[in-house]
Amino acid sequence: MNLTLKVWRQKNNADKGSFNNYTLTGISEDMSFLEMLDVLNEELSEKNEDPVHFDHDCREGICGMCSLYINGKPHGPQQTTTCQLHMRSFKDGDTIVIEPWRASAFPVVKDLVVDRGAFDRIIQAGGYVSVNTGGVPDANEIPIPKRIADEAFDAATCIGCGACVAACKNASAMLFTSAKISQLAMLPQGQVERKERAEQMVAQMDAEGFGACTNTGACSAECPKGISLTNIARMNREYFSAVASSENV
Ligand code: SF4
Ligand code: FES
């Protein structure tokens, strides 16, 4: 395949940034999108030009690092991560526009790399459980109904990629935050900090500058893990009940 790439280049957060055009020839449709970018970077390096900076780690769809905005969609035309996107999703002669996530809470570090530290700080605010150290408990010690276990697991599959924020016209982080609150709120192990967790994680989400949710559903439609909007409804219940009971104390 022969392709034209329009790639966002930005030296640092203070730089205005602009698109650069590159042409690539002989790209295999079996390559992943990131392998195609590797080819571009090899060519740039051979010409002593600065390679395009982009994030990646696992290349297996589990770390959430490969956050690219491709042809106007987070992670491109398929509902998957960029590392699991293959060039067979494009046609010979295509022009592909590649940008970083666009959200003020995710400032650009360089080129296509953004700082998603805001997500880490939301997790630090309450996305954990208190456990006693010691031996590993028996897996069947705390029986959990299958439906609850499945729902908690589905919420736990969120990989923190940020596509929900990038897809949302308000740059809302409610799908991410609600998945992280839900996975713990549904399980017995998550009950100890349940109220504080909902209050503190929502407060941190707001402090980071993410927008409000207006129920367009773009987040869930683009989420590579199919995280459901029901998690947002659950987070709202968790939050309001926590706030209400705090005020009664
Ligand atoms: S909810 Fe989905 S889109 Fe948002 S961070 Fe988690 S996996 Fe990514
Ligand atoms: S590189 Fe880890 S999810 Fe894509």
Side-chain angles (χ1 to χ4, degrees), residues 139-160:
N140 295 320
E141 206 169 80
I142 308 174
I144 297 168
K146 176 89 168 80
R147 184 185 63 78
I148 305 277
D150 285 350
E151 273 189 61
F153 183 80
D154 286 347
T157 58
C158 164
I159 54 173

Side-chain angles (χ1 to χ4, degrees), residues 56-59 61-66 81 83:
H56 60 98
D57 190 359
C58 69
R59 298 199 178 204
I62 44 179
C63 76
M65 295 293 286
C66 54
T81 55
C83 60

Side-chain angles (χ1 to χ4, degrees), residues 52 59 87 241:
V52 175
R59 298 199 178 204
M87 296 315 294
S241 105

Side-chain angles (χ1 to χ4, degrees), residues 64 75 101 116 119 155 157-165 173-180 219-220 222-228:
H75 296 303
W101 281 175
R116 285 178 297 126
F119 270 11
T157 58
C158 164
I159 54 173
C161 65
C164 44
V165 175
M174 287 186 80
L175 194 66
F176 164 78
T177 309
S178 68
K180 299 302 177 190
C219 53
S220 186
E222 298 293 348
C223 171
K225 299 299 168 183
I227 299 294
S228 159

Side-chain angles (χ1 to χ4, degrees), residues 39-203:
V39 172
L40 169 66
N41 277 347
E42 275 170 26
E43 292 187 6
L44 290 176
S45 298
E46 277 167 16
K47 290 190 271 185
N48 282 328
E49 291 181 30
D50 192 22
V52 175
H53 286 58
F54 61 93
D55 256 337
H56 60 98
D57 190 359
C58 69
R59 298 199 178 204
E60 292 180 340
I62 44 179
C63 76
M65 295 293 286
C66 54
S67 306
L68 298 182
Y69 212 72
I70 303 162
N71 285 349
K73 296 189 91 176
H75 296 303
Q78 310 287 340
Q79 194 176 359
T80 185
T81 55
T82 299
C83 60
Q84 297 298 295
L85 178 66
H86 287 83
M87 296 315 294
R88 65 184 78 99
S89 296
F90 300 90
K91 294 194 302 294
D92 183 37
D94 270 359
T95 296
I96 305 175
V97 182
I98 311 169
E99 300 170 78
W101 281 175
R102 306 283 191 187
S104 58
F106 290 155
V108 172
V109 176
K110 181 166 180 173
D111 295 339
L112 305 171
V113 177
V114 300
D115 178 357
R116 285 178 297 126
F119 270 11
D120 296 334
R121 291 186 289 275
I122 292 172
I123 296 291
Q124 284 163 2
Y128 50 81
V129 294
S130 291
V131 292
N132 296 321
T133 54
V136 179
D138 186 89
N140 295 320
E141 206 169 80
I142 308 174
I144 297 168
K146 176 89 168 80
R147 184 185 63 78
I148 305 277
D150 285 350
E151 273 189 61
F153 183 80
D154 286 347
T157 58
C158 164
I159 54 173
C161 65
C164 44
V165 175
C168 176
K169 63 177 182 173
N170 307 318
S172 168
M174 287 186 80
L175 194 66
F176 164 78
T177 309
S178 68
K180 299 302 177 190
I181 287 176
S182 290
Q183 73 180 68
L184 299 173
M186 282 186 276
L187 296 176
Q189 295 91 333
Q191 300 311 303
V192 181
E193 297 100 346
R194 185 170 176 174
K195 288 181 182 172
E196 294 80 3
R197 177 181 307 116
E199 285 189 87
Q200 290 165 9
M201 290 180 75
V202 169

Side-chain angles (χ1 to χ4, degrees), residues 223-240:
C223 171
K225 299 299 168 183
I227 299 294
S228 159
L229 291 176
T230 56
N231 290 297
I232 296 182
R234 184 181 296 105
M235 178 177 77
N236 287 337
R237 285 199 302 275
E238 291 288 317
Y239 178 74
F240 288 122

